[in-house]
Amino acid sequence: DAKTTQPNSMESNEEEPVHLPCNHSTISGTDYIHWYRQLPSQGPEYVIHGLTSNVNNRMASLAIAEDRKSSTLILHRATLRDAAVYYCILRDRSGGGADGLTFGKGTHLIIQP
Amino acid sequence: EPEVTQTPSHQVTQMGQEVILRCVPISNHLYFYWYRQILGQKVEFLVSFYNNEISEKSEIFDDQFSVERPDGSNFTLKIRSTKLEDSAMYFCASRLSYRANSPLHFGNGTRLTVT
């Protein structure tokens, strides 16, 4: 999996939007951008993924730069329950396959009440 | 919503003993995984399993580790002779398809403590 770079930690206030950045300057044309999160004492949880266009689901939005070298996970209205480590991971569309995800250190998101 | 379940939630064992960690993946999923996370460290890939055989394994997954799908629902990780450094959270995951946009679904893990 190609390398991604994320800030170690970010802090936000409850009920405000949160923008979590991810740089992936070596992304290839066949890489999907996946986001997972890990709440305290739980397993990783899928959040969202995209290829070229911005994506929305019930959990979050994913904004992908036009050159695809960066992306931003957007939590529209953070709650205390969104405090977690957020991981940005690239997955090769052409490979797919059975191989596992490679987790980095992610961004530790702290939500202040 | 279907989920991956893991048992037990916490396992304590003595060094040198064998342990089996159990997982029930989501029923129609075809690809299965084990990961581990040592306290305070990254989530690390151990092994992937498809069609009753290992598809890929990491350097961590040495001869002390084995996986099995003994029936149509369970997926197990066995550590033959545990070491202190095997103490970690072990997460099972499954996914429906081989496609790169098919997400992994993780269980909430088994905390293994080796004393």
Side-chain angles (χ1 to χ4, degrees), chain B:
Chain B
E1 188 173 321
E3 56 182 25
V4 175
T5 57
Q6 292 187 242
T7 56
S9 56
H10 190 188
Q11 172 94 42
V12 181
T13 189
Q14 288 191 325
M15 197 167 52
Q17 295 295 304
E18 174 184 286
V19 292
I20 297 176
L21 309 183
R22 300 179 193 281
C23 169
V24 179
I26 294 173
S27 63
N28 61 339
H29 284 190
L30 300 175
Y31 294 83
F32 312 111
Y33 304 82
W34 284 101
Y35 287 78
R36 80 170 186 191
Q37 187 174 32
I38 295 170
L39 186 64
Q41 297 188 26
K42 294 190 287 188
V43 177
E44 299 174 291
F45 168 72
L46 291 179
V47 66
S48 60
F49 190 86
Y50 168 69
N51 201 25
N52 277 321
E53 59 183 30
I54 290 173
S55 304
E56 186 179 356
K57 58 184 181 179
S58 71
E59 290 178 355
I60 303 166
F61 193 88
D62 61 21
D63 292 344
Q64 291 299 312
F65 291 89
S66 62
V67 289
E68 193 178 30
R69 188 153 162 82
D71 52 42
S73 59
N74 290 286
F75 180 50
T76 62
L77 175 70
K78 183 195 293 187
I79 309 174
R80 258 181 275 283
S81 176
T82 51
K83 303 189 273 281
L84 293 176
E85 53 264 39
D86 293 327
S87 295
M89 285 292 292
Y90 287 81
F91 296 108
C92 173
S94 68
R95 66 197 284 218
L96 175 63
S97 152
Y98 73 93
R99 295 181 187 278
N101 62 353
S102 173
L104 269 70
H105 297 259
F106 287 81
N108 279 330
T110 293
R111 179 176 299 283
L112 177 65
T113 303
V114 182
T115 61

